[in-house]
Amino acid sequence: MYRVRVRSMPPVVLALRRFPNPRLTGIGAGLFACLTMFVLACLDRLLFDASELVYGLLFLPVSALTALWVRPADLVTAPISVPIAFAVGVFPISGGSDGFGGQLMGLVTALAVHAGWLYGGTLIAGLIASVRKVRLMRARRQFVLAQERNPAAREQRGAGGQERSPRSAAAADRSAGSAPQPPAASPAASPAAAAKAVRAGAGAPAARRSQRP
């Protein structure tokens, strides 16, 4: 007997597989990132006195989750929605003065100061989206090659062609059967017709002789 050796998976991989794995659209992933960063920024302001370090550290896993949870058709939107989410979330901890102009200047200053965290999160989202895209293209190519090399698929195609040929043959028989056919001569009438032909052939020379002077 042959024993099949089952490879045990690491506990980290098992824990990641138990993790929820939704598939969000591009707009859904952007809304998820923006709302999550805004809520985390508010908690950061309440609990950690608007710490930029805490906000930057929380931004990295949110960027990774956004790139992991977006559906394959919208992978290109992950690196775009992550910087927007960072800008939305940094607004509560920007520390601008009163008035619209002061808040805007505080937001621009916070974005300039925390550009390192912004670039880091965007880079993580871009790398994860690129890896997912490459794996998707490789899996699709392997599927196409397997379909071309699989003899069962060829047999199914051949069976489909064989199924079509009897149908076409039956249609041809029906069309041939519907065409009008000349009536067949009866066997009883054929001897009489032959006798008449013989008599007509015998009478023709006699008529020619009587017409001579």
Side-chain angles (χ1 to χ4, degrees):
M1 293 180 63
Y2 295 97
R3 295 182 180 180
V4 180
R5 306 179 69 180
V6 180
R7 297 176 59 183
S8 60
M9 302 184 66
V12 178
V13 178
L14 295 176
L16 290 176
R17 286 193 173 185
R18 294 174 184 174
F19 202 72
N21 190 21
R23 284 293 173 259
L24 303 175
T25 62
I27 299 176
L31 291 176
F32 161 76
C34 291
L35 292 177
T36 304
M37 291 310 302
F38 186 80
V39 172
L40 292 177
C42 293
L43 293 177
D44 182 22
R45 184 173 181 177
L46 293 175
L47 300 178
F48 301 100
D49 196 15
S51 175
E52 295 85 1
L53 179 62
V54 174
Y55 181 79
L57 291 175
L58 292 175
F59 174 67
L60 299 182
V62 172
S63 302
L65 290 178
T66 303
L68 287 173
W69 287 354
V70 69
R71 65 180 184 178
D74 297 331
L75 285 173
V76 70
T77 61
I80 300 174
S81 58
V82 164
I84 300 174
F86 185 87
V88 171
V90 82
F91 182 75
I93 62 173
S94 59
S97 58
D98 296 336
F100 178 76
Q103 294 291 335
L104 184 60
M105 290 300 298
L107 179 62
V108 173
T109 304
L111 290 175
V113 172
H114 308 306
W117 297 109
L118 176 61
Y119 293 152
T122 306
L123 180 61
I124 291 175
L127 288 176
I128 294 176
S130 301
V131 171
R132 287 186 59 192
K133 186 65 176 180
V134 170
R135 292 185 60 183
L136 182 64
M137 294 174 61
R138 185 178 299 175
R140 189 176 300 173
R141 186 179 302 174
Q142 291 178 357
F143 177 76
V144 172
L145 292 176
Q147 288 293 327
E148 293 179 355
R149 295 176 181 175
N150 191 8
R154 296 180 181 177
E155 292 179 0
Q156 290 179 0
R157 294 177 183 174
Q162 292 177 1
E163 288 179 359
R164 294 193 190 97
S165 56
R167 293 179 183 176
S168 59
D173 294 340
R174 291 177 184 175
S175 61
S178 61
Q181 296 180 357
S186 61
S190 58
K196 290 181 180 180
V198 170
R199 290 175 184 177
R208 292 176 182 175
R209 289 173 186 175
S210 61
Q211 290 179 0
R212 291 179 180 178

